[in-house]
Amino acid sequence: MNDADGQAARARQRILAFWECNRGPLTGAFSIIDAYLALFGDVFPELTRDGIGYDFIPKATSANAVYAALEQVRGIGIDASSVPPLPQTGTAEITYGPEKLGISLWNAVGRAMHYRRAGLRRLTVVVVSDGELQSNIDAAARLAGAKRLRDLLVLVDVNGLQSCYPVSDVDLTLTPGAGGQLPLARIWADYGWSVHDVDGHSRPAVAAAVRDAMAAEKPGLVLLRTVKGKGLAQIEGQIGRYNHGVDDRLHAVLRVELAQHASQYPAPAPGGEFDAGPAAAPARRELIVERALAPVRTTRASQVLKQWLETVCRLNPHTVHVINSDTSYPFDPQLDPGETRTDLSQCAGINEIGAFNLARGVSQSGGYPIYVSPGVHLECCSDEFRLAGLHQDPMLVVGFNTGSYLGHWGPTYVSRRDLETYRAPGVDIVQPATTGDLTSVLNALPASARPTYLRLPHRLLDFPAAREACVSDGLYRMTAATQHPEDVVIVATGMAVPVALAAAQALTRVGRECAVLNVVRLTRLDPATLSQHIGKAPYLCVLVDGETTSLELSVRKSSAVDQLVTAIDLSERQLSASEWWLRNPIDHTGHVLDEIMAVLLSMQ
């Protein structure tokens, strides 16, 4: 009997103790604990001695096994009644806690891609269950194999049981064929993986398989043949024990069984305290964006974005990742066959949700991802965007061709729908109206520490040359400047600017002097600047929110500058316009020109 056997026995005893206080799934932790002991006790210390970093993403529902393994191999003590959760940086060992099934491998692929681009030798290890293989994982495996991500390792807990059914009821690739081989092994080998099939309860075999997989010049897959509930003789391999079916009587029997087994091994010396400090992850590099985009004279949003992407990628070759799901935008191969720019834009396959989670993996490992997709495709990624906001993953999501049109899915796509689904705490939604808006926003975006959704129209708003001469610091006058002030100033941002300009032009035709203040183009956004532009106009219309129901309330006497500053949530703060716009998303809910006209023309 060696200490490895004692650690396994004590770890199983501790899993039950954690389960008693926290409940949740039980038997899956017993099937994976030996592999965790091999990783934490044998593999990861070797990596540290060799100067190789690692990211570890545990199997979903295996938190009890993670803490039990850490206790044994680190010699620490964890209070089972108050275990900390496993968030993204919850412990010194855990990189990322799975948020839902099917996304861990996508996240790991993003990490491995970034580490390779950044020139870092860092292993990314992700553990999944055989049941989770049904959740959108195959596409990530194909992508990793195609990109030959050699520093990516996947361990699969092949215990044959889901919560209530055998895995074989829904997945024959995990049913042993001739010679006992799993069809999944051949499938992933054909994807381009180094595949290893071992006894998942043999700690030496698991450690050896991991070492062999790391030596290959391709991603590694280790199939762990395990028994669900291993070590619990009363319920080993039984369906329905995953999360249910352990009453008080059986619980007492299991506790005695595990205690008797652990008592055969000498107790280890007392260890230290549990360290819940942040994980040692690579530091995020500051992006170089100074003068990334000079002013351009075009109304094509794709041309502005293309110029910016090329420049930012050139300035930040080891940090920025442009990711797409089978779209070359803003590079147009129809105009120039050489413009697909595969050296800049990386295709993650036709899988929007997968690509989004890959981008999050890039962000969480120190890179800056820019995910580009048609607006209609991004509707399915709203949950992922909310999670990115929750964890403050810096990233840029570019939705192009936003608007209302008959999409190829069949039903009409309405642009306001993705605004409604994407709105969440900790995120920003940006809608440029003019070329100048887009230029200012793009140059400011990488400095944001929040996920940002940039909604691009196909055409940016253009101002005739004669009117451009009348623009001063964000103020657009419909006629040449006169000695008397405008009758009405309409303050607008984003996609409300075209509506405001249309209303201003209509008012001008009926004899009202009118101007539009495009907030994002202001050099400074403070009471003094606002007073300079709108302080003398008798009437003011604010379209910051763009809500049709609030138009009448938005019309104020322009002398009330303080009310305007309060309305746009600035008070006395001195913020640049671009910084303000990133923090205050605008919701433009449709065509409001008629309502604007009705309200403004009624003012006497």
Side-chain angles (χ1 to χ4, degrees):
M1 298 181 182
N2 55 39
D3 189 51
D5 295 329
Q7 286 181 349
R10 291 188 297 271
R12 283 181 163 81
Q13 186 181 22
R14 291 295 290 159
I15 287 174
L16 188 64
F18 289 127
W19 180 82
E20 290 170 355
C21 296
N22 303 285
R23 298 294 163 164
L26 175 62
T27 52
F30 283 84
S31 62
I32 199 61
I33 183 60
D34 298 298
Y36 283 176
L37 289 169
L39 291 173
F40 290 129
D42 305 322
V43 176
F44 292 160
E46 292 174 4
L47 291 174
T48 301
R49 286 194 295 271
D50 293 339
I52 301 175
Y54 62 87
D55 288 359
F56 175 64
I57 303 177
K59 183 182 77 165
T61 73
S62 69
N64 292 333
V66 171
Y67 285 120
L70 285 173
E71 274 193 328
Q72 299 305 311
V73 301
R74 299 288 184 257
I76 57 179
I78 303 175
D79 183 358
S81 64
S82 59
V83 272
L86 290 179
Q88 310 243 139
T89 55
T91 78
E93 302 289 346
I94 310 304
T95 303
Y96 167 78
E99 295 153 327
K100 56 184 179 180
L101 294 180
I103 69 172
S104 293
L105 184 52
W106 283 104
N107 186 288
V109 169
R111 292 171 184 273
M113 288 172 55
H114 173 64
Y115 293 144
R116 182 167 68 182
R117 171 168 290 190
L120 299 174
R121 184 72 202 277
R122 189 175 179 89
L123 183 67
T124 301
V125 181
V126 59
V127 184
V128 299
S129 66
D130 47 5
E132 189 174 353
L133 292 176
Q134 303 158 31
S135 304
N136 197 29
I137 280 182
D138 257 22
R142 293 188 187 98
L143 179 64
K147 294 189 176 296
R148 299 186 70 83
L149 299 175
R150 59 160 297 181
D151 289 331
L152 174 63
L153 179 66
V154 174
L155 282 72
V156 180
D157 181 4
V158 186
N159 58 56
L161 297 178
Q162 298 177 196
S163 177
C164 301
Y165 303 94
V167 173
S168 59
D169 279 7
V170 294
D171 186 358
L172 294 180
T173 69
L174 292 166
T175 301
Q181 185 182 30
L182 298 175
L184 184 73
R186 176 182 54 79
I187 293 171
W188 280 48
D190 290 343
Y191 289 163
W193 289 65
S194 170
V195 180
H196 308 265
D197 192 335
V198 299
D199 177 1
H201 296 302
S202 169
R203 178 168 167 176
V206 173
V210 170
R211 295 186 191 101
D212 290 344
M214 290 173 54
E217 295 295 323
K218 57 179 71 174
L221 171 69
V222 178
L223 298 171
L224 306 170
R225 303 288 190 107
T226 65
V227 176
K228 204 147 195 176
K230 178 70 173 179
L232 302 173
Q234 300 285 329
I235 60 174
E236 274 188 7
Q238 294 183 19
I239 297 176
R241 300 293 190 180
Y242 169 76
N243 201 19
H244 316 284
V246 179
D247 55 24
D248 291 342
R249 183 198 63 79
L250 180 56
H251 180 204
V253 171
L254 297 177
R255 182 190 296 174
V256 172
E257 177 185 343
L258 293 175
Q260 290 177 343
H261 185 52
S263 67
Q264 301 176 41
Y265 304 92
E273 293 297 320
F274 177 68
D275 175 17
R284 185 176 303 280
R285 300 188 185 190
E286 290 293 327
L287 292 184
I288 303 172
V289 294
E290 185 178 3
R291 294 183 298 278
L293 186 61
V296 292
R297 296 188 63 83
T298 178
T299 60
R300 289 184 60 194
S302 61
Q303 288 297 104
V304 181
L305 180 64
K306 172 188 168 185
Q307 178 183 332
W308 182 77
L309 288 177
E310 289 175 336
T311 306
V312 168
C313 288
R314 176 176 53 80
L315 293 173
N316 306 273
H318 304 299
T319 306
V320 173
H321 297 250
V322 182
I323 299 163
N324 69 75
S325 50
D326 195 34
T327 175
S328 61
Y329 187 94
F331 309 107
D332 191 346
Q334 292 181 342
L335 297 179
D336 181 353
E339 266 205 358
T340 55
R341 294 308 304 270
T342 55
D343 58 322
L344 295 184
S345 188
Q346 305 171 81
C347 180
I350 308 175
N351 191 312
E352 287 81 10
I353 294 177
F356 203 110
N357 284 296
L358 184 151
R360 291 190 62 206
V362 168
S363 176
Q364 292 166 6
S365 54
Y368 187 79
I370 301 171
Y371 176 40
V372 182
S373 185
V376 65
H377 292 188
L378 288 173
E379 286 190 84
C380 65
C381 300
S382 57
D383 284 348
E384 277 62 31
F385 193 62
R386 288 189 178 93
L387 290 172
L390 177 66
H391 296 290
Q392 291 295 276
D393 301 328
M395 62 188 301
L396 171 61
V397 180
V398 179
F400 61 91
N401 287 348
T402 55
S404 300
Y405 64 93
L406 189 64
H408 55 266
W409 302 136
T412 300
Y413 162 68
V414 182
S415 62
R416 64 173 173 268
R417 200 161 61 212
D418 63 352
L419 278 175
E420 294 164 357
T421 56
Y422 266 62
R423 189 184 295 112
V427 304
D428 297 309
I429 301 175
V430 183
Q431 301 182 106
T434 70
T435 302
D437 292 352
L438 182 54
T439 301
S440 300
V441 169
L442 286 174
N443 281 333
L445 274 173
S448 173
R450 296 152 58 100
T452 301
Y453 178 27
L454 174 62
R455 304 179 73 249
L456 287 184
H458 177 63
R459 289 283 182 183
L460 295 164
L461 189 64
D462 184 30
F463 297 106
R467 294 205 187 110
E468 287 186 3
C470 299
V471 174
S472 172
D473 195 24
L475 185 67
Y476 297 88
R477 290 191 169 92
M478 296 301 102
T479 57
T482 60
Q483 298 298 319
H484 55 84
E486 282 82 11
D487 298 317
V488 178
V489 174
I490 305 176
V491 179
T493 60
M495 295 308 293
V497 172
V499 178
L501 283 166
Q505 290 168 343
L507 287 168
T508 300
R509 286 194 293 268
V510 296
R512 298 290 182 94
E513 293 288 340
C514 196
V516 173
L517 184 63
N518 185 359
V519 177
V520 78
R521 298 302 305 279
L522 289 175
T523 304
R524 304 294 296 176
L525 191 56
D526 53 36
T529 303
L530 291 171
S531 295
Q532 177 184 349
H533 289 308
I534 63 178
K536 297 180 180 179
Y539 296 104
L540 173 70
C541 178
V542 182
L543 294 181
V544 172
D545 295 325
E547 293 282 3
T548 57
T549 56
S550 62
L551 281 177
E552 192 164 0
L553 296 177
S554 296
V555 178
R556 310 175 188 274
K557 289 286 186 179
S558 59
S559 57
V561 174
D562 290 340
Q563 295 182 26
L564 173 59
V565 174
T566 302
I568 56 182
D569 191 28
L570 281 174
S571 186
E572 297 296 325
R573 287 182 292 164
Q574 303 289 310
L575 299 178
S576 68
S578 58
E579 185 178 359
W580 170 83
W581 206 28
L582 291 181
R583 295 184 179 180
N584 295 270
I586 163 182
D587 180 11
H588 175 61
T589 57
H591 298 287
V592 295
L593 175 57
D594 291 342
E595 291 200 42
I596 295 174
M597 290 294 296
V599 173
L600 296 182
L601 290 176
S602 66
M603 297 186 303
Q604 299 297 331

